[in-house]
Amino acid sequence: MRSSARPFAALVAALTLTAGLFAAGAPASARANDATTTAQASDVSLAADTYDWKNVRIDGGGFVPGIVFNRSEKNLAFARTDIGGAYRWDQAGKRWTPLLDWVDWDHWGWTGVVSLASDSVDPDNVYAAVGTYTNDWDPTNGAVLRSSDRGASWKASTLPFKLGGNMPGRGMGERLAVDPNKNSVLYLGAPSGKGLWRSTDSGATWSEVTAFPNPGDYAQDPTDTSGYGNDNQGIVWVTFDERTGSAGSATQDVYVGVADKDNTVYRSTDGGTTWSRIAGQPTGYLAHKGVLDSENGYLYLTLSDTGGPYDGGKGQIWRYTTATGEWKDVSPVAEADTYYGFSGLTVDRQHPGTVMATAYSSWWPDTQIFRSTDSGATWTQAWDYGSYPNRTDRFTQDVSSVPWLTWGASPAPPETTPKLGWMTEALEIDPFDSDRMMYGTGATIYGTENLTKWDSGSQFKITPMVKGLEETAVNDLASPPSGAPLLSALGDIGGFRHTDLDAVPDMMFTSPNLTSTTSIDFAETSPNTVVRVGSADAAPHIGFSTDNGSDWFQGSEPSGVTGGGTVAAAADGSGFVWSPEGTGVYRTTGYGSSWSASTGIPDGATVESDRKNPKKFYGYKAGTFYLSTDGGATFTAKASSGLPAEGNVRFKAVPGTEGDIWLAGGSTEGAYGLWHSTDSGATFTKLTGVEQADSVGFGKAAAGASYQTLFVTAKIGGVRGVFRSTDAGATWTRINDDAHQWGWIGASITGDPRVYGRVYVSTNGRGIMYGDSSDSDGGGTDPGTDPGTDPGTDPGNPPGDAACSVTYKVTNEWPGGFQADVTLTNTGSAELDGWKLAWTFPDGQRVGQMWNATPTQDGAKVTAASVSWNGRVAPGASAGFGFTGTLTGGNAAPDAFSLGDEVCATG
C-alpha cells in the first residue's frame, strides 16, 4: 500500500552518525527513528549452509544505472542496480559476483543501490549508498555501506534520511565519491532537500556540509502527492580534480552536480569549506553526469531536460576548461535535432582526449552512443542513417549468450533486434584498457573488447557482459511434475520456461508478450496445459500453452480487463478461473474463447485450483475463503474466523490430496501466520510458533515421509528465513542462512516435485534463487525444531548414547584469517535434541563470527551450540554451521570433536 510521504523532522545541523557493525546471525534491526539514534550494526560474514544456493540463470533482466571501475587496479569494477543490489566483476570468470545477498527482510530497501564508490588509494575499500524509496513505501532510512574486503563483508552507517535507488533520477551520479588523495574523506549527495554530506573517517560517520548552498529543487512531477514523482532529486554527483591535492592531503577542487536547471554545477576550491555556483554554466538543463579529464583540464557535462531514466526530450553536452573558466557547447548534434537527453559519460584514461556519451532516452528507433577523439570538437556515432530507413552501424552485436535479448521481435527498419539498448545511463571505458567498454541498459550490461575499431572505420563487437548479474522481480513460480522443472512469472520481461536451471533460456514467453506476468499455473494431472496472465499494453492479458510452456497462443478476455491478477487451471486442464484487474472473476471451459462471470466471489479475489478435483476452485479476499465445486461457476463463502483481513495473503492446495490447503500471509497490525485446512477451506487451523508467513509451497516428500515437503518464507522462532518441514508443519528447519537472505522474498516459493529438498525462491530484484539440500533423500523425518522453542534457550547436552561424525573444512584463507564450514552428522540411533560440539584448535586459532551455531571459547577450546532451527537432528541427518576465525601461526584442522562424552568420527 502506498500513501503520501510524511514530513521528515528538521535535521540538527552537522548531525553526526556513528556506525556499529552487523553481527553474522543477527542483522541490524530497523529503527523508526534513526535520525536521532546511533545505528546498531555488525559484520556480515558470507558463508555457505547445508543448502547450496544458486541463481536460476536468466542473465540480466533489469536496469543497471551505474558501473564503476577502480582507477588504480586493473580489472576491479562494480555495478549497481536499482532494486537488486551491487556486484563486483570477476575477471577470471568474466562474470559478476553479488555483494548484498545478506540484506535481510527488515532492511529490504537496502537492495536498492543509488550510488557506488571504489577507493583508488586502497582498492580493497568499496562503498555503497543504499535505500530504495525516499517516501514511506520504504520503511527504513538509507545507509552508506562500507567494505574493506571488496564487498565480501560490510559495515553500515544508517543515515537520518532515505535514499532512492529506485526513484526518478536514479541514473544520475555518482552521488557517492571518495577523495582520490585523502581516502578517509567521502562525499554523498542526498535527495529530498537534505543537501551534501561528508565523512572524514572512511564512511563511519557522516555530517551535513552546511556551507553547501543549494539542496536542489527539481522534481519529476511536482503534482504527484505520493512522495515519488514530487520528490526533490537533490544532489546528484560529486567529482574531484585530483591535481589539486597530494597523497594524504584533501583534494581542494571539488565539483558537485545539483538537480536545479538554473544552478546545476557548484565548485569548492578549498577542500569543501566554501562553495559557489560556477559562472557561465549552461541553464535550462540538469547535469546527469560530470566527468573530469584531469590530463587536459576539462570537466564534461551530459545534460537533459529531465532527470530520467525514462523521460528526456532535449539535451546538450558542455565542456568546462578548469584553468580559464571557459564554457563551450560541444554537443554532437544541434539541440533542435535532439529528441532525447544525454546521460552516459566517460573519458578514456589512457587517451584522455577521447570522450563518449549516450542518448539515454532515445527509445526509438534505438539508443545512440557518441564518441569524440578530440575532446568534443567533433563526434561520430554508433549508427547513422544510410538510405532511410536503413541504418549503417559501426558495430556488430552478438547476443547468442543471452538470446532472449532479441525479445522475439521482428521490427521494421530503422528499428533492429536486438537493440543497442534503452535507459543507457551507465557508460564506462576501462581506465586500463581503451578497447574495453561497458554500458548499462534497462535489461542488461553490454560491452566490447575491441572498441578502438570504431576509430579505424571497422566494426567493433558488442556482446552481453552480464553473466552472474541477475536482476528480475519474481511474481510467481511453478514447478510441474513433468516437463520443464520451472516456469516463472517475472516483472518487465514476462517469464521463462527453464529446462536447465543453469542455462539461459532462448526466449521469454511470447504470443502474447506480457510486459509483466503476474500469475502462472499448470494443470496438476495434465502439466502440459499451462496458463499465464499479466500486464500488457493492449489485450490480450492471457496466454495458454498445451506443450508445457514451449509454445503459446493468445486467449480472448472479458471486457474491462486492465491487468493480470491471478489465474488457476483445473487439475485436469478442463477449465480455468481468472481474477483479472479491472473486472470480476471469470471462468472458461475452453482456452479462453469465451468467458462467464463467476458468482459469489468478490472482484479482486486471489484464485487457486484444487490439485486433485478438477471441479474445485478456491478464492480469498479480505479474510474470507471461498469454495467452488462446479468449475468456478459459483463460489460460496467458507471460513473467515481468525484469517488475515489485511496484508498480502497467498495460498496453495497440496498436489494429490483433495481439499488440503495451506494459507500464508497477513500483517503486523492483525492476524499474521500460516494456516492449514483439510476440508476445502471450511475450517482452518493456525500453526502455533509460525509467527509470520508470506508464501508457501510444496516439494517431493522426504524418504519415509507420508506428506509432501513444505517450504515457507516465514518468521519462526524469532528468525526470518526460508524454512522446510517434512512432517506437515510439526517441525521446521531453516534452510537459508544470514549470508543468503535477498531482502524481500515474499511473493512466491515452491519445491520441486521431482527432487527432494530442491526449492525455488522468488526475490524482488535478485532473480530466482534455487537451493539444493546436501541431504539428498531427506533421511526420513526432517531434523527440525519445535516452532515455539526460544532461540536463546540453552540446547543442553545430547543423549549419552548418541554417535556422531564431523566434517571440518577450511573454505577460505587470507593473511591473519580464515573461514571454515562444519557438518555434524548424527550416526546414532537416537535423535539429538540440542547439541554442543566441542574441539580444541591445535594452533591457537580464534573464532570470530559464527553462523547457525553459538560459540564459546576458552583458550584453544571451543564449543559450538545449536540454535533454534537446527537443534533436533534425526538419526542419519546432519546440521551444518560455519565461522570466520583469526590466526597468528598455522591453521591445522582440529583432530578431534566431541558431543558431551561421545567422541565423533572425523572425515
Side-chain angles (χ1 to χ4, degrees):
M1 293 178 291
R2 297 175 177 178
S3 57
S4 299
R6 293 179 290 274
F8 200 92
L11 300 180
V12 178
L15 174 66
T16 300
L17 299 167
T18 305
L21 305 173
F22 267 61
S29 58
R31 287 179 173 267
N33 185 10
D34 273 334
T36 56
T37 58
T38 299
Q40 300 298 312
S42 72
D43 291 334
V44 174
S45 301
L46 302 186
D49 198 359
T50 54
Y51 257 66
D52 179 29
W53 292 99
K54 296 180 182 179
N55 268 111
V56 176
R57 277 193 69 187
I58 294 170
D59 283 19
F63 181 34
V64 181
I67 299 169
V68 174
F69 278 89
N70 186 275
R71 294 272 299 277
S72 63
E73 182 174 315
K74 188 175 182 179
N75 294 324
L76 181 58
F78 299 87
R80 63 179 171 96
T81 68
D82 52 2
I83 62 170
Y87 294 79
R88 182 182 63 243
W89 179 250
D90 170 22
Q91 178 64 20
K94 292 198 173 181
R95 61 179 297 139
W96 297 93
T97 300
L99 302 178
L100 300 185
D101 283 358
W102 54 268
V103 173
D104 66 353
W105 178 276
D106 290 333
H107 292 82
W108 63 263
W110 289 6
T111 61
V113 184
V114 73
S115 192
L116 278 174
S118 181
D119 185 351
S120 60
V121 176
D122 183 351
D124 285 341
N125 296 331
V126 61
Y127 302 86
V130 297
T132 299
Y133 298 107
T134 59
N135 61 5
D136 59 4
W137 301 350
D138 189 337
T140 55
N141 281 351
V144 176
L145 309 179
R146 63 192 190 277
S147 172
S148 58
D149 52 14
R150 305 178 184 226
S153 62
W154 297 86
K155 299 177 182 179
S157 296
T158 307
L159 299 165
F161 49 83
K162 297 182 178 184
L163 294 176
N166 200 33
M167 293 289 289
R170 58 192 180 273
M172 296 193 281
E174 294 289 325
R175 296 172 182 258
L176 182 64
V178 184
D179 190 319
N181 289 299
K182 189 174 183 179
N183 65 337
S184 59
V185 175
L186 294 90
Y187 284 89
L188 172 67
S192 312
K194 303 304 179 185
L196 181 67
W197 289 68
R198 178 169 51 209
S199 172
T200 58
D201 56 6
S202 300
T205 62
W206 292 84
S207 59
E208 187 177 3
V209 181
T210 56
F212 194 81
N214 186 356
D217 65 0
Y218 175 80
Q220 181 191 65
D221 180 7
T223 67
D224 178 18
T225 60
S226 71
Y228 184 76
N230 61 334
D231 187 54
N232 175 5
Q233 294 181 16
I235 312 298
V236 297
W237 53 262
V238 179
T239 297
F240 294 91
D241 186 345
E242 60 264 33
R243 301 169 302 172
T244 62
S246 58
S249 299
T251 301
Q252 296 301 295
D253 288 9
V254 188
Y255 297 85
V256 172
V258 180
D260 178 342
K261 290 187 177 183
D262 294 322
N263 311 280
T264 196
V265 188
Y266 287 78
R267 178 176 62 181
S268 173
T269 58
D270 53 12
T273 301
T274 61
W275 300 84
S276 60
R277 176 188 186 275
I278 302 179
Q281 65 183 265
T283 58
Y285 287 98
L286 303 174
H288 276 225
K289 300 282 196 300
V291 173
L292 186 73
D293 167 11
S294 57
E295 183 77 17
N296 295 309
Y298 293 140
L299 174 70
Y300 294 94
L301 305 181
T302 44
L303 301 140
S304 176
D305 58 350
T306 67
Y310 311 108
D311 53 4
K314 289 292 178 183
Q316 295 180 339
I317 300 177
W318 282 70
R319 187 184 72 197
Y320 175 68
T321 305
T322 58
T324 65
E326 176 194 21
W327 284 98
K328 185 179 179 68
D329 183 349
V330 294
S331 302
V333 296
E335 178 191 37
D337 293 331
T338 62
Y339 54 91
Y340 46 76
F342 295 97
S343 182
L345 178 63
T346 186
V347 171
D348 185 343
R349 300 296 173 181
Q350 299 295 312
H351 303 90
T354 296
V355 189
M356 295 182 70
T358 65
Y360 77 96
S361 54
S362 178
W363 287 80
W364 189 92
D366 205 346
T367 198
Q368 186 61 275
I369 304 175
F370 301 91
R371 180 175 172 90
S372 172
T373 57
D374 53 14
S375 301
T378 61
W379 298 81
T380 52
Q381 52 195 47
W383 59 270
D384 296 280
Y385 284 115
S387 175
Y388 187 86
N390 297 312
R391 289 171 27 173
T392 301
D393 297 335
R394 294 180 181 271
F395 61 91
T396 61
Q397 196 168 3
D398 178 5
V399 298
S400 58
S401 64
V402 191
W404 61 261
L405 285 168
T406 66
W407 248 258
S410 300
E415 281 194 281
T416 64
T417 188
K419 286 191 172 187
L420 272 177
W422 54 90
M423 299 163 62
T424 49
E425 297 218 58
L427 174 73
E428 293 295 330
I429 299 173
D430 186 334
F432 294 91
D433 184 355
S434 299
D435 268 320
R436 181 159 69 173
M437 176 265 287
M438 297 182 184
Y439 67 96
T441 77
T444 193
I445 294 177
Y446 280 124
T448 181
E449 293 183 327
N450 59 355
L451 177 61
T452 56
K453 285 191 173 184
W454 182 315
D455 305 322
S456 65
S458 54
Q459 290 181 310
F460 63 98
K461 182 179 181 180
I462 293 175
T463 60
M465 290 186 176
V466 73
K467 184 178 180 181
L469 193 154
E470 298 287 352
E471 192 200 2
T472 50
V474 184
N475 296 323
D476 201 7
L477 297 168
S479 183
S482 61
L486 185 66
L487 306 172
S488 59
L490 306 178
D492 294 333
I493 58 174
F496 294 91
R497 177 180 190 261
H498 270 89
T499 58
D500 182 345
L501 304 177
D502 300 317
V504 179
D506 289 340
M507 192 54 56
M508 69 274 287
F509 298 139
T510 59
S511 300
N513 287 73
L514 301 177
T515 53
S516 290
T517 302
T518 55
S519 179
I520 190 167
D521 195 19
F522 61 90
E524 186 66 42
T525 62
S526 181
N528 279 343
T529 301
V530 188
V531 61
R532 60 186 168 93
V533 294
S535 305
D537 295 333
H541 295 80
I542 187 167
F544 298 91
S545 173
T546 57
D547 59 5
N548 195 243
S550 293
D551 301 286
W552 294 84
F553 55 92
Q554 302 176 354
S556 67
E557 62 184 43
S559 61
V561 173
T562 59
T566 57
V567 69
D572 63 358
S574 59
F576 305 88
V577 174
W578 184 16
S579 177
E581 295 177 18
T583 187
V585 178
Y586 283 80
R587 71 174 185 119
T588 181
T589 54
Y591 291 105
S593 57
S594 64
W595 294 89
S596 301
S598 301
T599 61
I601 185 170
D603 296 1
T606 299
V607 294
E608 295 282 356
S609 64
D610 191 87
R611 309 312 283 184
K612 184 174 183 180
N613 186 338
K615 293 296 184 181
K616 279 191 177 181
F617 287 84
Y618 307 109
Y620 190 88
K621 187 175 182 181
T624 300
F625 195 85
Y626 298 86
L627 167 66
S628 172
T629 58
D630 56 8
T634 60
F635 283 82
T636 302
K638 306 299 285 186
S640 59
S641 177
L643 295 178
E646 298 180 342
N648 294 315
V649 175
R650 298 166 180 85
F651 68 94
K652 289 182 180 179
V654 177
T657 305
E658 183 175 347
D660 195 336
I661 301 156
W662 292 82
L663 184 147
S667 72
T668 54
E669 287 75 33
Y672 201 173
L674 182 67
W675 287 261
H676 185 207
S677 173
T678 57
D679 55 11
S680 300
T683 60
F684 278 89
T685 301
K686 190 176 189 295
L687 271 72
T688 59
V690 181
E691 299 146 61
Q692 300 173 5
D694 292 272
S695 59
V696 59
F698 317 106
K700 183 179 180 180
S706 60
Y707 200 81
Q708 292 202 20
T709 300
L710 286 176
F711 295 97
V712 292
T713 55
K715 184 177 183 180
I716 299 175
V719 178
R720 258 283 173 190
V722 182
F723 291 84
R724 180 188 70 198
S725 174
T726 61
D727 53 12
T731 60
W732 296 94
T733 295
R734 188 187 183 202
I735 58 174
N736 72 322
D737 55 47
D738 289 343
H740 301 91
Q741 300 194 78
W742 316 294
W744 190 80
I745 54 174
S748 184
I749 189 170
T750 185
D752 191 307
R754 289 170 275 184
V755 181
Y756 167 75
R758 177 170 292 174
V759 62
Y760 305 98
V761 180
S762 71
T763 76
N764 187 44
R766 270 287 285 123
I768 307 166
M769 305 304 304
Y770 80 97
D772 280 324
S773 173
S774 61
D775 187 4
S776 60
D777 65 356
T781 304
D782 194 70
T785 182
D786 183 337
T789 299
D790 182 349
T793 301
D794 185 342
N797 293 315
D801 62 349
C804 50
S805 67
V806 173
T807 300
Y808 178 96
K809 181 180 180 182
V810 174
T811 58
N812 196 8
E813 189 167 350
W814 56 90
F818 68 101
Q819 177 177 312
D821 286 348
V822 182
T823 300
L824 165 65
T825 300
N826 182 359
T827 57
S829 58
E831 181 180 73
L832 299 179
D833 188 4
W835 48 265
K836 288 183 178 180
L837 183 67
W839 70 87
T840 299
F841 277 128
D843 293 320
Q845 302 98 315
R846 300 288 301 180
V847 171
Q849 308 290 331
M850 184 174 285
W851 48 94
N852 295 332
T854 301
T856 57
Q857 184 165 2
D858 181 9
K861 297 180 179 180
V862 180
T863 300
S866 60
V867 289
S868 63
W869 55 86
N870 64 3
R872 295 174 64 182
V873 185
S878 301
F881 62 93
F883 62 92
T884 58
T886 58
L887 49 88
T888 56
N891 191 24
D895 57 9
F897 296 84
S898 60
L899 282 178
D901 297 330
E902 186 79 28
V903 176
C904 301
T906 57

